[in-house]
Amino acid sequence: MVKVAPSILSADFVNLERDIRRLDPDGADYVHVDVMDGNFVPNITIGIPVTAAIKGISPLPLDVHLMIERPLRYVEDFCRAGADILTLHVESDLPANTLAALEKIRALGVRAGLSVKPNTRAEAVLPFLELCDLILVMTVEPGFGGQRFMTDMMPKLKTIRGWIDEKNPGCELEVDGGINEKTGRICVENGANVLVAGSAWFKNPDPAAFARALKG
Ligand code: DX5
Ligand code: ZN
């Protein structure tokens, strides 16, 4: 089954509660929360208190995407704030710290995710695959919503799907960046089962129809 995770980066922040409460009736599966620190990516967005506030009103599980340097320092805070899935970037720290962060997330009863930027090879996730509940393949350079989908990420997505089927079939495979009806379908064909959509969701006059289309 294909799942849809609207990225609230493109929601109306003045009416964030309203926008989040609509996600479940419109057919979304997760609320995708983009956390940026101005270091790992050149943008600053949502932090721990806002994540906790969202948790308090969200009818759906929180899929928290950390785009921060050395995330091990903060994984406990985000787990306690209510992340249901907590994803960090393989590029954001040394392998030993990435390992420790994934283990800590799982020890706190939260699902652990690992993400790869466009210029990172698929092989980077391999040493961690058995420790992951989700792999996130970025289909844009992380940092901003509304960018153009990178079709050339599809071979990487397909490769990782093969490894997941072989080594950790329960692991989800998510894509993030430039997802619309057409690019979402391409990602599903290449093995994705969770589609993040920011601008295409929140700018859509009929998100329920968009969700149905994405799920095929
Ligand atoms: C980008 C974020 C994405 C972003 C997606 O760094 O991780 O989640 O909000 O936005 P769209 O769907 O507009 O590309
Ligand atoms: Zn994201």
Side-chain angles (χ1 to χ4, degrees), residues 5-10 32-36 41 43 65-67 89 115 136 138-149 175-180 196-203 210:
S7 161
I8 56 163
L9 200 55
S10 296
H32 186 81
V33 181
D34 286 304
V35 176
M36 305 187 189
V41 290
N43 193 7
H65 177 193
L66 296 181
M67 286 158 276
H89 269 266
S115 182
L136 167 54
M138 292 305 300
T139 43
V140 298
E141 207 50 65
F144 299 91
Q147 301 182 78
R148 205 190 157 94
F149 177 78
V175 284
D176 183 4
I179 300 299
N180 56 34
V196 176
S199 43
W201 179 282
F202 286 100
K203 288 202 176 99
F210 181 48

Side-chain angles (χ1 to χ4, degrees), residues 114-137:
L114 191 62
S115 182
V116 276
K117 296 207 287 183
N119 289 333
T120 304
R121 288 159 54 86
E123 283 73 14
V125 304
L126 256 185
F128 308 102
L129 194 52
E130 271 95 347
L131 279 171
C132 292
D133 301 289
L134 178 143
I135 300 288
L136 167 54
V137 173

Side-chain angles (χ1 to χ4, degrees), residues 4-16:
V4 181
S7 161
I8 56 163
L9 200 55
S10 296
D12 175 358
F13 281 155
V14 173
N15 294 293
L16 193 53

